[in-house]
Amino acid sequence: MTAILILNGPNLNLLGIRQPEVYGTTTLADIERDCRKTARQLDVDMDFRQSNHEGVLIDWIHDARQAFDGIIINAGAYTHTSIAIMDAIASVSVPTLELHLSNIHEREDFRRVSFVGKVAFDLIMGHGAKGYPMALERIVSHISGKT
Ligand code: DQA
């Protein structure tokens, strides 16, 4: 069965109370529940993780090499700073989708730079919490060769 790893970076554990005017009021637990529902509908396995630590995210990306067919990553602010996360994604050769709740191209200039984007096959952003199930559908269709 196809297995997808969904990774969430720093501060995303505070979704629901963190800058709701930017990120909405849906919590990460709500998002995980939605993703599990979508994964069931798509008949895929899914693992959903969050860490505030760059090295932990890198270790999890390495895990994907053995156990997962695709990675969806919302790397939070590490998106804009972490060459190490970019290198980890490039090292494992697992198709990776970049995901953001907000539209990072319509915010501060420093958010326009994405190191994750340099190694991801696609980007979903600006759809808030709904972007997560959308990302699952997109990556499953990519892996099955349909898009
Ligand atoms: C984010 C956008 C990033 O710029 C920010 O640092 C985040 C969340 C998003 O989902 O919109 O932490 O990745």
Side-chain angles (χ1 to χ4, degrees):
M1 189 186 262
T2 300
I4 307 297
L5 178 60
I6 304 184
L7 295 181
N8 295 280
N11 302 308
L12 293 168
N13 54 312
L14 296 182
L15 282 181
I17 52 167
R18 172 193 184 200
Q19 294 178 274
E21 69 288 359
V22 179
Y23 299 116
T25 52
T26 309
T27 67
L28 199 60
D30 294 334
I31 290 176
E32 177 172 357
R33 214 172 13 253
D34 271 3
C35 286
R36 293 213 174 278
K37 196 171 145 204
T38 304
R40 260 196 312 276
Q41 286 162 353
L42 294 169
D43 202 22
V44 296
D45 273 340
M46 181 208 86
D47 209 339
F48 192 95
R49 306 179 190 175
Q50 188 275 333
S51 176
N52 293 321
H53 305 277
E54 188 176 21
V56 172
L57 292 164
I58 290 167
D59 287 344
W60 286 343
I61 291 165
H62 293 176
D63 287 352
R65 199 161 54 94
Q66 311 287 354
F68 294 93
D69 303 292
I71 301 170
I72 295 168
I73 184 165
N74 182 350
Y78 286 141
T79 304
H80 319 297
T81 61
S82 181
I83 294 169
I85 288 178
M86 176 187 77
D87 281 350
I89 294 168
S91 301
V92 297
S93 312
V94 177
T96 298
L97 178 69
E98 177 183 11
L99 172 65
H100 301 283
L101 294 130
S102 64
N103 182 339
I104 59 171
H105 293 168
E106 288 184 351
R107 299 181 61 193
E108 302 94 327
D109 279 352
F110 59 82
R111 292 188 205 273
R112 287 171 183 264
V113 175
S114 169
F115 288 104
V116 171
K118 295 187 189 303
V119 288
F121 73 86
D122 203 359
L123 163 67
I124 290 181
M125 64 176 178
H127 297 280
K130 290 193 174 66
Y132 279 77
M134 284 170 65
L136 259 175
E137 285 180 18
R138 173 76 185 97
I139 200 165
V140 169
S141 129
H142 177 82
I143 290 167
S144 64
K146 287 186 204 135
T147 56

